[in-house]
Amino acid sequence: MTSFTILLDAATAELYRRIAARAGLPAEQVLSDALFQLAGQLSMEALRRKES
């Protein structure tokens, strides 16, 4: 698996830490899932725009 490093401001990092704690998951997994979902949404939006 490929590894990436990203920088988050303190407030964003704390948000993902809190969400992860409530979900019982590592913060890295929560952030990865959120980024994957965003990528899917952006791809769908790009496809919709291309069709119009």
Side-chain angles (χ1 to χ4, degrees):
M1 187 175 284
T2 303
S3 176
F4 291 91
T5 301
I6 62 169
L7 300 176
L8 301 174
D9 63 77
T12 303
E14 183 60 24
L15 171 70
Y16 282 102
R17 281 190 201 103
R18 288 182 182 192
I19 293 169
R22 286 185 168 214
L25 296 168
E28 295 84 358
Q29 182 65 50
V30 173
L31 184 57
S32 173
D33 292 348
L35 290 171
F36 188 74
Q37 182 179 5
L38 176 60
Q41 291 171 346
L42 292 173
S43 295
M44 292 301 295
E45 180 63 27
L47 288 172
R48 278 191 218 110
R49 286 183 184 179
K50 187 176 181 179
E51 289 175 354
S52 344

